[in-house]
Amino acid sequence: FLYFPETYGISFRIQISVKELLGTDVVLKLLFHLPVNYPSTLPDISVNSDQLTRAQCTDVKDKLLEQAKKHLSEPMVHDLILWVQQHLKDVIKQSATVCNEKTTLSKGTEDGIWMLLLHLDHMRAKAKYVKTVEKWASNLRLTGRLMFMGKIILILLQGDRSSIKEYLILQKTSKVDVDSSGKKCREKMMSVLCETEVQSEHKRFQTFEIRDYSTLEKLQRDFEAAGLTTLFSEFVHPLFK
């Protein structure tokens, strides 16, 4: 594409790291598109982060646009970045509260069954890693699949929300793999693709299984059989592009 600033404005990406709850860093990728008549017109903003759910990214974006309205007709990008660095914790907390309220309203309880989809970058000590994941799933009474398709590794889990949260902490803080020199190391290359409540159309997994897929179609069929067609097309299919 050729961008003509006088016709389309300019687009640029900024990556920032924000100290979040539990002391972990959240890396936010912000894309700003400044229209030609910026700052009298609001910028377009998109927010991505491997550490946040899609819903949380949307909440961050909505809050940034609210802030942008307060700065209309003055340069605002710098102020918006400062604002998100200071307020990200609050936005994420509010985002979680809103999710819980919705759950409570729809279920009359917060204890619904939840589902988590993770993408791992690699497993150097595969046999040990697989055993560890099986042990955690069993101890936390989680069901689902550990799926291998070419270089893509996915973990799909279902269970109590508290067990899902506990699993995530184990996955991030335990030494589950080895680095290139063979030393034990933590999982640093994991991304949470989706964390959501199990809906009526989703099939409940009865066991935790390890599966190897020879083709993308077979992987897709398994997701479809479990009522997870949308999950596959939104989060899994893009990994293979």
Side-chain angles (χ1 to χ4, degrees), residues 99-196:
C99 287
N100 288 344
E101 279 165 14
K102 280 185 194 152
T103 312
T104 311
L105 291 173
S106 61
K107 289 275 179 189
T109 167
E110 250 184 59
D111 300 334
I113 297 299
W114 279 70
M115 181 160 57
L116 176 71
L117 181 61
L118 302 174
H119 173 220
L120 302 183
D121 187 71
H122 60 273
M123 285 184 180
R124 282 202 177 91
K126 186 175 172 180
K128 177 182 172 286
Y129 204 133
V130 169
K131 265 208 180 78
T132 305
V133 170
E134 281 184 299
K135 188 178 89 184
W136 289 342
S138 161
N139 290 350
L140 293 166
R141 296 209 296 282
L142 296 170
T143 60
R145 303 268 186 274
L146 168 54
M147 300 172 277
F148 295 93
M149 163 69 229
K151 287 187 175 172
I152 301 283
I153 307 165
L154 299 168
I155 301 177
L156 179 63
L157 296 168
Q158 289 179 348
D160 292 342
R161 193 168 191 199
S162 56
S163 301
I164 293 265
K165 294 277 179 218
E166 209 171 315
Y167 180 92
L168 260 179
I169 291 167
L170 283 169
Q171 181 80 53
K172 286 176 181 170
T173 56
S174 309
K175 292 188 173 178
V176 280
D177 206 1
V178 295
D179 61 18
S180 51
S181 61
K183 270 209 210 105
K184 288 182 178 178
C185 66
R186 293 192 181 95
E187 177 56 76
K188 295 191 183 79
M189 305 285 283
M190 175 190 80
S191 46
V192 176
L193 298 179
C194 178
E195 189 179 345
T196 180

Side-chain angles (χ1 to χ4, degrees), residues 3-17:
Y3 279 100
F4 300 101
E6 64 277 11
T7 324
Y8 297 110
I10 54 168
S11 295
F12 56 91
R13 237 174 247 286
I14 293 176
Q15 185 165 305
I16 56 169
S17 181

Side-chain angles (χ1 to χ4, degrees), residues 11-241:
S11 295
F12 56 91
R13 237 174 247 286
I14 293 176
Q15 185 165 305
I16 56 169
S17 181
V18 185
K19 269 269 182 279
E20 215 278 293
L21 314 157
L22 301 171
T24 53
D25 287 357
V26 171
V27 176
L28 283 183
K29 297 168 192 138
L30 306 171
L31 176 66
F32 288 93
H33 174 73
L34 310 183
V36 183
N37 38 5
Y38 168 86
S40 357
T41 310
L42 290 178
D44 280 329
I45 304 171
S46 85
V47 178
N48 280 298
S49 173
D50 291 343
Q51 289 90 4
L52 303 182
T53 64
R54 188 165 285 206
Q56 286 171 326
C57 287
T58 305
D59 284 346
V60 173
K61 174 186 146 177
D62 292 345
K63 289 281 188 289
L64 277 172
L65 286 170
E66 272 174 38
Q67 289 304 310
K69 283 175 191 159
K70 297 178 187 173
H71 293 281
L72 202 54
S73 79
E74 57 187 69
M76 63 186 84
V77 172
H78 182 64
D79 291 324
L80 293 178
I81 289 164
L82 289 178
W83 185 89
V84 80
Q85 285 176 317
Q86 287 160 3
H87 295 90
L88 182 66
K89 268 186 200 178
D90 306 328
V91 177
I92 292 171
K93 267 192 202 152
Q94 276 179 334
S95 177
T97 320
V98 172
C99 287
N100 288 344
E101 279 165 14
K102 280 185 194 152
T103 312
T104 311
L105 291 173
S106 61
K107 289 275 179 189
T109 167
E110 250 184 59
D111 300 334
I113 297 299
W114 279 70
M115 181 160 57
L116 176 71
L117 181 61
L118 302 174
H119 173 220
L120 302 183
D121 187 71
H122 60 273
M123 285 184 180
R124 282 202 177 91
K126 186 175 172 180
K128 177 182 172 286
Y129 204 133
V130 169
K131 265 208 180 78
T132 305
V133 170
E134 281 184 299
K135 188 178 89 184
W136 289 342
S138 161
N139 290 350
L140 293 166
R141 296 209 296 282
L142 296 170
T143 60
R145 303 268 186 274
L146 168 54
M147 300 172 277
F148 295 93
M149 163 69 229
K151 287 187 175 172
I152 301 283
I153 307 165
L154 299 168
I155 301 177
L156 179 63
L157 296 168
Q158 289 179 348
D160 292 342
R161 193 168 191 199
S162 56
S163 301
I164 293 265
K165 294 277 179 218
E166 209 171 315
Y167 180 92
L168 260 179
I169 291 167
L170 283 169
Q171 181 80 53
K172 286 176 181 170
T173 56
S174 309
K175 292 188 173 178
V176 280
D177 206 1
V178 295
D179 61 18
S180 51
S181 61
K183 270 209 210 105
K184 288 182 178 178
C185 66
R186 293 192 181 95
E187 177 56 76
K188 295 191 183 79
M189 305 285 283
M190 175 190 80
S191 46
V192 176
L193 298 179
C194 178
E195 189 179 345
T196 180
E197 193 172 9
V198 170
Q199 305 300 321
S200 52
E201 71 270 18
H202 300 151
K203 188 182 130 197
R204 287 294 315 277
F205 295 114
Q206 299 307 311
T207 55
F208 183 78
E209 294 175 26
I210 317 297
R211 295 217 169 160
D212 261 300
Y213 298 89
S214 51
T215 66
L216 184 56
E217 287 70 34
K218 286 182 179 167
L219 179 64
Q220 185 169 356
R221 274 206 296 275
D222 245 14
F223 271 84
E224 285 169 358
L228 301 172
T229 308
T230 315
L231 195 74
F232 181 86
S233 57
E234 255 193 70
F235 301 106
V236 181
H237 198 252
L239 298 173
F240 291 90
K241 284 179 179 169

